[in-house]
Amino acid sequence: MEVTRQNFKDTLKTVCSAVEEADFLAIDGEFSGISDGPNVSALTNGLDTPEQRYAKLKKHSMDFLLFQFGLCTFKYDQEKSKYIIKPFNFYVFPKPFNRTSPDLKFICQSSSIDFLASQGFDFNKVFCNGIPYLNQDEEVQLREQSEERRNQQANGVGTPSFISPSSKGPAHVPEEHKDFINRVIGKVEALLTNSEKTLDLEPCTGFQRKLIYQTLNWKFSKGLHVETVETEKKERYIQVIKVDDEERKRREQQKREREQEELNDAVGFSRVIHAISKSGKLVVGHNMLLDVMHTIHQFYCPLPEDLQDFKEVTMCVFPRLLDTKLMASTQPFKEMITNTSLAELEKQVKEAPFKSPQVETAEGFHSYDTAQEQLHEAGYDAYITGLCFISMANYLGSFLTPPKAYISAHSKVVEPFFNKLFLMRIIDIPYLNLTGPDLQPKRDHVLFVTFPKEWKTSDLYQLFSAFGNIQVSWLDDTSAFVSLSQTDQVQIAVNTSRYAESYRIQTYAEYIKGKQQDKEKLGQTPKSWGEDGWLKPHYTSASTAATFGYHNPPPEDEGSPEGNDAEGTVPWQQAPAVHGRKGQKKKKQQKPKGVF
Amino acid sequence: MEVTRQNFKDTLKTVCSAVEEADFLAIDGEFSGISDGPNVSALTNGLDTPEQRYAKLKKHSMDFLLFQFGLCTFKYDQEKSKYIIKPFNFYVFPKPFNRTSPDLKFICQSSSIDFLASQGFDFNKVFCNGIPYLNQDEEVQLREQSEERRNQQANGVGTPSFISPSSKGPAHVPEEHKDFINRVIGKVEALLTNSEKTLDLEPCTGFQRKLIYQTLNWKFSKGLHVETVETEKKERYIQVIKVDDEERKRREQQKREREQEELNDAVGFSRVIHAISKSGKLVVGHNMLLDVMHTIHQFYCPLPEDLQDFKEVTMCVFPRLLDTKLMASTQPFKEMITNTSLAELEKQVKEAPFKSPQVETAEGFHSYDTAQEQLHEAGYDAYITGLCFISMANYLGSFLTPPKAYISAHSKVVEPFFNKLFLMRIIDIPYLNLTGPDLQPKRDHVLFVTFPKEWKTSDLYQLFSAFGNIQVSWLDDTSAFVSLSQTDQVQIAVNTSRYAESYRIQTYAEYIKGKQQDKEKLGQTPKSWGEDGWLKPHYTSASTAATFGYHNPPPEDEGSPEGNDAEGTVPWQQAPAVHGRKGQKKKKQQKPKGVF
């Protein structure tokens, strides 16, 4: 079901009850871009720590707009032995609520926009008919403002910037407005004696309207209802209505209700996220870290600085998450699924040993056909993400004694996958652990190298040519991680580099120690190494330890604006394009001398 | 005529000949936003210097996208005594040309987008079908890259980051690619002996393709044409074709031509601007400073730091500009035209003493009807801007002896208005003078006040309450210009403030001197005051001096994303909304004591 500003109000109940009755939910977001800084391969360095990755995504991805949100609810029908699904495709846009509400700016990345355009994305639905939203601060602020304005109008008091010190007395009317206000008083006095019921004053500025409210409240404390009305041309003017006490109260009550409804409309799409959150249902996504970050950032609160705080906020908003990309790249699926991109995964879980789940689209909902791919429409992506989850979960059921064909979202069997979000392209940390500390590999074959900004990947290959195969992961213009194939070469490299002038080499441990010292200076506590080089995850289900181990990143990623690179090469083969081009233009001044 | 990526190539000739034959051109742009920093009333401070205004617009407006460009050409037909017009409405979008071309990011401001949406703007035409473009640097870079790549492929040389030191010898194939390359060699050897003409290799990475080019060039220097081809799925693979020398040359020539055409396509919409520029025709716009800045920024070069350099670049790109908003707010029009917004101006110049010009839409072009306003479509806005210019110019002809009913764009009568761009809301500097120094009013009734960031407009009113009517122009959170009504109060205020702790007052002259000293430190020369408080404009046509004098800003501005505020209040009545709201939440710590 497509949901825009036009039908949102009528649909909200349907959405909420679909969430309420569901066994689990699947979500997906489409964004206006991925990175406003480094390109994707630099944004997702293969040796990022989870803290670094979070900080980079927060810094470089959050100014884009999540403008399409897909939700698919899955409810298992025992009798029919099939899932009943309700897919929703929400278009979202931060339409300013009024003149004083935040005028949000967001970035568009032309490659992402162009990609979505090539998939038939309808931008008019976003920009012309997108559902508005507010985060929690904005909602509170708006409700306070509305309350304040009502009090002021009731008391005849302007906002503090305009009032005279004695706000309960007659309004202080600046000289140049005195004529105007006197004319208004004359008109209102005439209204009180003539047979008219209503007086429409001429459109005027906000400041003049404040003066009118103040003056009328002071001069005519009874018998009038005063209200700001907008013309078709969006000009604002004041309407004065002769009323008895009862009608005045009734009108004010109506006005209050209208304002409340307008406020609810402004909260808009955030109410869907609140409903999902409140339900506590399992929320499934594919490669969902960016989706989760954007959802919290846009509809709840600005993302916290610290990763640990982010984890806590996330667990409040989404108490139970499952990432199908992480599931598919973990045992026992890892060996069976060669490509974990959503489109490929969806194809693979249709084939043996998996079984396509039986699903039925609920009446009144658009029925998706997986044979006619509608990839990168958020509602469709959410739908097939749910299908992938069901197929993989049911497959796990085949290992039970006795085997089970249907595994529910609440089953113990899927618990090990809860609250672990896939980390794109990190070589040795497969997931972000939301409910405990993250894995901390020692990385004792890794060097941290700094060098002149003219250097390129080939210069690093040349510098380390004596060490055979190396892997380069760029950090920025002047530094990179270099992974050696043999750990015992690390010390040789570090020692030799002592005599180098143009570059500098540290071990990974030294690099992390430096970072932690920087952090301690800022008053944060460092984390210590586990004895085996890993910090055990807080989560200690028996099956977890067996399930999660060191594993390589999946060989193929998706090429879409959900944070994935179009090119299927591994990151260390690919010098960041920006550096590459820049390098070609510049004359190389500092060349590595191949000291090893 | 609507022009998108679909019909751009077919339309370009029509556009260029319309420009060539025209007497003058009118332009207009629509942008994705106005200000990424301060709100519009802070962006357009009433006491900005031209340098400050330029710096602010450059800093806060250039990251938005000019995504619709309107051009209307006007050619006078002597026989028919009417103008023949050709209106064009171009949709523009920086679609990335290829994987290595710049992936532009631009900002959208939700209020601007929402405004355009409410006017029926079609965003899909921009994002799905917008015409690409390159600025001059990008064009040069792309042509160089293409040249380089051709040389490399011809020589069998990869880009420097992948080649082995001896690039003319056999390719250095890394161990893990040796099998792959040997398989390719085997296939090509087979091709040379079998009856097939063409060999399609399997899709592979860019690095592998480089290795293949190098290897094949070295191993099979003759008899093969090697080319990269793309599948429907955008996977790239190499095609090897058996050819004799002649066919090889022919194919390479074809490839080169194809590449040239692709490059021209990438330059795209910039070619329209080049044609306008090259024509040297008079270009008319309404309140056109932002249009000119965006056009140069997007299609020529990043804007220079310095205003003087900007003026020089502008005169190169558009040697002759005329701003109808400036014309309408200057004598003799100033007294006759109460509202200089484009929509209102267009209405007023239809009435006596003006005459609606006779225009005819050229065959094959969409005919606009000014009775059915299509405001804020760039093509329509350009069209009515042209109409306004003609009406006002012809009105000037009525003062000639003998009176002239038709005044051409080349007439001496309109010359005084050339190359002066309207400066929004600056109280005493009506225009930016592109061909000489700007007016420099003394502003000796103006104070520069700094204060704690908790202060609001009302605090300043209170501080200066002894001085009667004042005007406040906010600069930032902690400073503002305060204009007093009487110049002789200035020294009293400055003297009294010597004893103040929380705030500080300087005269405008002191403030400017401080600014100039800052600039001198950076090695730039200061400008001296003219004797009468003005620096005479470089431009010295007899009529200019009489025409341009001190004048107040027009009372009403347009409410559209062309840089104009929706609210018609004068800037000094309006504390910036952001400050106002922030102020309300904070407890005021430092209150002014009303010392005067």
Side-chain angles (χ1 to χ4, degrees):
Chain A
M1 182 179 287
E2 297 234 309
V3 191
T4 64
R5 193 153 73 225
Q6 264 71 42
N7 65 343
F8 178 66
K9 242 163 136 169
D10 300 335
T11 313
L12 186 60
K13 254 196 182 152
T14 313
V15 177
C16 290
S17 68
V19 168
E20 268 318 305
E21 74 192 13
D23 288 296
F24 75 93
L25 316 170
I27 63 164
D28 180 62
E30 299 290 337
F31 320 124
S32 64
I34 297 300
S35 169
D36 65 5
N39 64 9
V40 173
S41 64
L43 193 71
T44 56
N45 187 298
L47 292 164
D48 278 337
T49 63
E51 285 81 8
Q52 282 172 327
R53 176 62 58 85
Y54 172 71
K56 280 199 275 185
L57 292 178
K58 174 170 148 47
K59 182 171 175 193
H60 294 297
S61 297
M62 288 304 114
D63 287 338
F64 297 102
L65 187 70
L66 187 169
F67 53 27
Q68 195 186 42
F69 188 93
L71 167 68
C72 189
T73 68
F74 289 79
K75 178 184 158 58
Y76 192 68
D77 185 323
Q78 294 283 0
E79 275 177 36
K80 293 184 179 170
S81 292
K82 53 166 74 165
Y83 276 100
I84 311 298
I85 64 142
K86 295 183 178 174
F88 300 90
N89 207 17
F90 300 93
Y91 291 85
V92 175
F93 182 76
K95 183 182 162 71
F97 174 62
N98 61 29
R99 287 175 184 198
T100 60
S101 65
D103 185 6
L104 203 119
K105 285 110 199 168
F106 57 91
I107 304 180
C108 293
Q109 186 171 8
S110 42
S111 59
S112 299
I113 296 291
D114 187 49
F115 175 82
L116 287 171
S118 74
Q119 305 288 314
F121 190 88
D122 189 340
F123 294 96
N124 285 336
K125 283 198 180 136
V126 168
F127 295 134
C128 305
N129 299 320
I131 311 159
Y133 62 86
L134 295 176
N135 73 22
Q136 299 213 307
D137 277 0
E138 290 162 348
E139 181 181 348
V140 167
Q141 203 177 16
L142 206 60
R143 291 195 191 276
E144 278 175 6
Q145 271 174 22
S146 154
E147 186 73 22
E148 208 173 301
R149 198 172 48 243
R150 202 163 53 239
N151 289 337
Q152 281 165 7
Q153 289 178 355
N155 300 331
V157 177
T159 58
S161 54
F162 295 112
I163 53 164
S164 65
S166 54
S167 58
K168 286 282 182 186
H172 167 75
V173 179
E175 204 55 48
E176 67 270 30
H177 292 293
K178 281 200 169 135
D179 275 0
F180 173 79
I181 292 296
N182 285 334
R183 276 203 309 277
V184 169
I185 292 173
K187 282 183 194 165
V188 174
E189 277 167 346
L191 173 72
L192 286 171
T193 53
N194 67 20
S195 60
E196 300 288 327
K197 180 158 171 79
T198 304
L199 166 66
D200 289 341
L201 297 174
E202 59 195 297
C204 60
T205 67
F207 179 59
Q208 289 173 321
R209 290 199 300 277
K210 270 176 217 290
L211 291 176
I212 296 173
Y213 273 106
Q214 287 173 35
T215 305
L216 296 190
N217 257 287
W218 177 72
K219 264 193 117 64
F220 310 96
S221 59
K222 279 199 167 188
L224 291 181
H225 172 79
V226 185
E227 191 170 341
T228 301
V229 191
E230 214 170 61
T231 66
E232 274 184 16
K233 284 181 173 176
K234 303 272 176 191
E235 290 172 323
R236 288 167 171 227
Y237 66 93
I238 281 183
Q239 193 173 61
V240 186
I241 306 168
K242 258 193 312 208
V243 287
D244 59 21
D245 233 34
E246 198 176 311
E247 189 178 352
R248 180 176 167 146
K249 275 185 195 147
R250 192 171 51 74
R251 279 182 180 272
E252 260 151 31
Q253 178 62 22
Q254 280 174 352
K255 193 175 152 189
R256 211 163 13 249
E257 283 165 10
R258 213 160 48 231
E259 278 176 8
Q260 280 307 315
E261 199 177 328
E262 278 170 18
L263 280 169
N264 286 339
D265 290 351
V267 177
F269 180 73
S270 301
R271 297 166 78 188
V272 172
I273 304 297
H274 299 167
I276 294 174
S277 175
K278 217 179 117 201
S279 78
K281 298 282 162 74
L282 174 68
V283 175
V284 177
H286 188 82
N287 197 9
M288 73 193 304
L289 177 55
L290 263 185
D291 299 279
V292 169
M293 287 176 74
H294 268 287
T295 303
I296 292 174
H297 175 76
Q298 221 163 287
F299 309 118
Y300 272 87
C301 57
L303 293 181
E305 278 307 307
D306 191 70
L307 176 61
Q308 186 52 39
D309 296 337
F310 168 71
K311 291 181 178 183
E312 281 166 24
V313 171
T314 303
M315 284 296 91
C316 287
V317 176
F318 296 118
R320 194 169 292 180
L321 291 170
L322 186 143
D323 190 328
T324 46
K325 190 165 179 102
L326 194 259
M327 195 171 180
S329 21
T330 307
Q331 299 295 3
F333 304 106
K334 191 186 148 189
E335 308 299 335
M336 308 155 65
I337 294 165
T338 49
N339 183 330
T340 62
S341 79
L342 181 57
E344 290 304 314
L345 178 62
E346 192 265 332
K347 280 180 204 153
Q348 288 177 74
V349 297
K350 277 180 179 165
E351 311 287 332
F354 298 102
K355 282 193 195 98
S356 283
Q358 293 294 310
V359 290
E360 188 182 303
T361 308
E363 224 186 289
F365 284 81
H366 174 76
S367 174
Y368 284 120
D369 176 4
T370 58
Q372 288 193 323
E373 297 188 0
Q374 289 180 271
L375 274 171
H376 306 292
E377 180 180 290
Y380 179 80
D381 282 4
Y383 165 59
I384 62 173
T385 298
L387 295 186
C388 292
F389 167 67
I390 297 170
S391 290
M392 289 193 288
N394 288 347
Y395 176 74
L396 291 177
S398 68
F399 294 104
L400 297 177
T401 28
K404 267 188 168 179
Y406 162 68
I407 292 293
S408 95
H410 311 282
S411 166
K412 280 268 174 217
V413 177
V414 290
E415 269 186 25
F417 300 97
F418 285 173
N419 299 330
K420 295 183 175 65
L421 304 189
F422 185 73
L423 285 174
M424 280 280 290
R425 292 210 188 92
I426 297 188
I427 296 167
D428 48 13
I429 312 176
Y431 59 86
L432 184 74
N433 183 18
L434 291 171
T435 51
D438 288 300
L439 300 171
Q440 292 203 357
K442 258 198 190 128
R443 296 183 176 172
D444 49 13
H445 63 302
V446 177
L447 299 169
F448 173 69
V449 190
T450 51
F451 40 79
K453 63 179 183 305
E454 290 78 16
W455 281 31
K456 292 180 295 165
T457 307
S458 58
D459 297 320
L460 288 165
Y461 276 115
Q462 201 168 332
L463 180 67
F464 290 95
S465 52
F467 292 135
N469 218 4
I470 62 161
Q471 293 168 352
V472 176
S473 310
W474 282 85
L475 289 167
D476 55 35
D477 264 12
T478 60
S479 66
F481 289 129
V482 173
S483 309
L484 304 182
S485 49
Q486 284 164 27
T487 304
D488 53 7
Q489 294 172 332
V490 162
Q491 210 49 53
I492 304 172
V494 172
N495 292 344
T496 320
S497 78
R498 297 229 167 89
Y499 307 103
E501 280 169 27
S502 57
Y503 63 92
R504 191 167 152 247
I505 298 181
Q506 284 183 299
T507 65
Y508 184 80
E510 284 164 352
Y511 165 76
I512 289 291
K513 212 169 147 193
K515 281 255 166 197
Q516 281 177 343
Q517 282 169 349
D518 292 348
K519 225 178 167 183
E520 277 171 68
K521 281 183 203 153
L522 296 167
Q524 293 168 301
T525 45
K527 278 168 195 145
S528 59
W529 294 103
E531 280 190 9
D532 55 356
W534 300 84
L535 248 171
K536 283 267 174 290
H538 169 80
Y539 188 89
T540 52
S541 154
S543 53
T544 325
T547 311
F548 292 103
Y550 183 107
H551 78 169
N552 285 316
E556 278 288 343
D557 298 307
E558 307 150 78
S560 88
E562 282 115 316
N564 310 325
D565 197 348
E567 188 124 54
T569 54
V570 273
W572 48 81
Q573 280 186 347
Q574 205 178 18
V578 177
H579 299 159
R581 256 184 300 133
K582 194 195 69 189
Q584 280 176 31
K585 303 288 283 184
K586 279 204 182 147
K587 212 183 152 198
K588 277 178 236 162
Q589 289 147 346
Q590 303 260 30
K591 295 297 296 179
K593 288 170 196 153
V595 283
F596 307 129
Chain B
M1 181 178 287
E2 297 234 309
V3 191
T4 64
R5 195 153 71 226
Q6 264 70 42
N7 65 343
F8 178 65
K9 240 161 136 172
D10 299 336
T11 313
L12 187 60
K13 253 196 184 151
T14 312
V15 178
C16 290
S17 69
V19 167
E20 269 316 308
E21 74 192 13
D23 287 296
F24 74 93
L25 316 170
I27 63 164
D28 179 63
E30 299 289 337
F31 320 123
S32 65
I34 297 299
S35 170
D36 64 5
N39 63 10
V40 173
S41 64
L43 192 71
T44 56
N45 188 298
L47 293 165
D48 279 339
T49 62
E51 285 80 8
Q52 282 172 327
R53 175 63 57 86
Y54 171 70
K56 281 200 274 185
L57 292 178
K58 172 171 150 47
K59 181 172 175 191
H60 293 297
S61 297
M62 288 304 112
D63 286 338
F64 297 101
L65 188 69
L66 188 169
F67 53 29
Q68 195 185 41
F69 188 94
L71 167 68
C72 188
T73 66
F74 289 78
K75 178 183 156 59
Y76 192 69
D77 184 322
Q78 296 281 0
E79 275 177 37
K80 293 183 178 171
S81 290
K82 53 167 72 168
Y83 277 98
I84 311 298
I85 63 144
K86 294 184 179 174
F88 300 90
N89 208 18
F90 299 93
Y91 292 85
V92 175
F93 182 77
K95 182 180 163 71
F97 174 63
N98 61 29
R99 286 176 185 198
T100 60
S101 66
D103 184 7
L104 203 118
K105 286 110 197 169
F106 57 91
I107 303 180
C108 294
Q109 186 170 9
S110 42
S111 58
S112 299
I113 296 291
D114 187 48
F115 174 82
L116 288 172
S118 74
Q119 305 288 313
F121 191 88
D122 189 339
F123 295 95
N124 285 337
K125 283 200 180 134
V126 169
F127 295 134
C128 305
N129 299 319
I131 310 158
Y133 61 87
L134 295 177
N135 72 22
Q136 299 212 305
D137 277 359
E138 290 162 349
E139 180 181 347
V140 166
Q141 205 177 13
L142 206 61
R143 291 196 191 276
E144 278 175 5
Q145 272 175 23
S146 154
E147 185 72 21
E148 211 172 300
R149 198 173 48 245
R150 200 164 53 238
N151 289 338
Q152 281 165 8
Q153 288 178 358
N155 300 331
V157 177
T159 59
S161 53
F162 295 113
I163 52 164
S164 65
S166 54
S167 58
K168 286 282 183 186
H172 168 74
V173 179
E175 203 54 50
E176 66 271 31
H177 292 293
K178 283 205 167 130
D179 275 1
F180 172 79
I181 291 297
N182 285 334
R183 275 203 308 278
V184 169
I185 293 173
K187 283 182 195 167
V188 174
E189 278 168 345
L191 172 72
L192 286 172
T193 53
N194 68 20
S195 61
E196 300 287 326
K197 181 162 172 76
T198 303
L199 165 66
D200 288 339
L201 297 174
E202 59 195 295
C204 61
T205 67
F207 180 58
Q208 289 172 323
R209 289 198 300 276
K210 270 177 216 293
L211 291 176
I212 295 173
Y213 273 106
Q214 286 173 36
T215 305
L216 297 190
N217 258 287
W218 176 71
K219 264 193 116 63
F220 309 96
S221 59
K222 279 201 168 187
L224 290 181
H225 173 80
V226 185
E227 191 170 341
T228 301
V229 191
E230 214 171 62
T231 67
E232 275 184 16
K233 285 180 173 177
K234 304 269 176 193
E235 291 173 323
R236 285 165 174 230
Y237 67 93
I238 281 183
Q239 193 173 59
V240 185
I241 307 167
K242 257 192 315 206
V243 288
D244 58 22
D245 232 33
E246 199 176 312
E247 189 178 353
R248 181 176 169 147
K249 274 184 197 150
R250 195 171 50 74
R251 280 182 179 271
E252 260 150 32
Q253 177 62 22
Q254 278 173 353
K255 193 175 152 189
R256 210 164 13 248
E257 282 164 11
R258 214 159 46 234
E259 277 175 9
Q260 279 309 314
E261 199 178 328
E262 278 169 18
L263 280 169
N264 286 339
D265 290 351
V267 178
F269 180 73
S270 302
R271 297 168 77 188
V272 172
I273 304 297
H274 298 168
I276 294 174
S277 176
K278 216 178 119 203
S279 79
K281 297 282 162 76
L282 174 68
V283 174
V284 176
H286 188 82
N287 199 8
M288 72 192 304
L289 177 55
L290 264 185
D291 300 280
V292 169
M293 287 176 74
H294 268 288
T295 303
I296 292 174
H297 176 76
Q298 222 163 285
F299 310 116
Y300 272 86
C301 57
L303 293 181
E305 278 307 308
D306 190 70
L307 175 61
Q308 187 50 42
D309 295 339
F310 167 71
K311 291 180 179 183
E312 281 166 23
V313 171
T314 303
M315 285 296 91
C316 287
V317 177
F318 296 118
R320 195 170 291 182
L321 291 169
L322 185 144
D323 190 327
T324 47
K325 189 165 179 101
L326 194 260
M327 194 172 180
S329 21
T330 307
Q331 299 295 4
F333 304 106
K334 192 187 148 190
E335 307 298 335
M336 308 154 66
I337 293 165
T338 50
N339 184 329
T340 62
S341 79
L342 182 57
E344 291 303 314
L345 178 62
E346 192 265 331
K347 280 180 203 152
Q348 288 178 72
V349 297
K350 276 179 178 164
E351 310 286 330
F354 298 103
K355 284 195 194 94
S356 284
Q358 294 294 310
V359 290
E360 188 183 301
T361 308
E363 225 186 287
F365 286 82
H366 173 76
S367 173
Y368 285 119
D369 177 4
T370 58
Q372 287 193 325
E373 296 189 359
Q374 287 179 273
L375 275 169
H376 306 293
E377 181 181 290
Y380 180 80
D381 283 4
Y383 166 57
I384 62 173
T385 298
L387 295 186
C388 292
F389 166 67
I390 297 169
S391 289
M392 290 193 287
N394 287 348
Y395 176 73
L396 291 178
S398 68
F399 294 104
L400 296 178
T401 26
K404 267 190 168 179
Y406 160 69
I407 292 294
S408 93
H410 311 282
S411 165
K412 280 268 175 215
V413 177
V414 292
E415 268 186 24
F417 300 98
F418 284 174
N419 298 331
K420 296 184 174 64
L421 303 189
F422 186 73
L423 284 173
M424 280 279 291
R425 292 209 189 92
I426 297 188
I427 296 168
D428 49 13
I429 311 176
Y431 59 86
L432 184 74
N433 183 19
L434 290 171
T435 50
D438 287 301
L439 301 170
Q440 292 202 0
K442 256 196 188 128
R443 296 183 175 172
D444 49 13
H445 62 302
V446 177
L447 299 169
F448 173 68
V449 190
T450 53
F451 40 79
K453 65 178 181 302
E454 291 77 16
W455 281 31
K456 292 179 297 167
T457 307
S458 59
D459 297 320
L460 288 167
Y461 276 114
Q462 203 168 330
L463 180 67
F464 290 95
S465 53
F467 292 134
N469 218 4
I470 61 160
Q471 294 169 353
V472 176
S473 311
W474 282 84
L475 289 167
D476 56 35
D477 264 12
T478 61
S479 66
F481 289 129
V482 173
S483 310
L484 305 182
S485 48
Q486 285 164 23
T487 306
D488 53 8
Q489 295 171 332
V490 162
Q491 210 49 52
I492 305 171
V494 172
N495 291 344
T496 322
S497 78
R498 298 231 166 87
Y499 309 102
E501 282 169 25
S502 57
Y503 63 90
R504 188 166 154 251
I505 299 181
Q506 283 184 299
T507 63
Y508 184 80
E510 284 164 354
Y511 164 77
I512 288 291
K513 210 171 147 191
K515 281 256 164 193
Q516 280 176 346
Q517 281 168 350
D518 293 350
K519 224 177 168 182
E520 276 170 67
K521 280 181 204 152
L522 295 168
Q524 294 168 300
T525 44
K527 278 168 196 145
S528 59
W529 295 102
E531 281 190 8
D532 56 356
W534 299 86
L535 248 172
K536 284 266 177 291
H538 169 79
Y539 189 89
T540 52
S541 152
S543 52
T544 327
T547 312
F548 293 103
Y550 182 107
H551 79 167
N552 285 315
E556 279 286 341
D557 297 307
E558 305 151 78
S560 86
E562 283 116 315
N564 310 326
D565 197 347
E567 188 125 55
T569 54
V570 273
W572 48 80
Q573 279 186 349
Q574 205 180 17
V578 177
H579 299 159
R581 255 185 301 132
K582 194 196 68 186
Q584 280 175 31
K585 303 289 282 185
K586 278 203 184 151
K587 214 184 148 196
K588 280 175 235 163
Q589 290 149 345
Q590 303 260 30
K591 295 296 295 178
K593 288 168 196 155
V595 282
F596 307 127

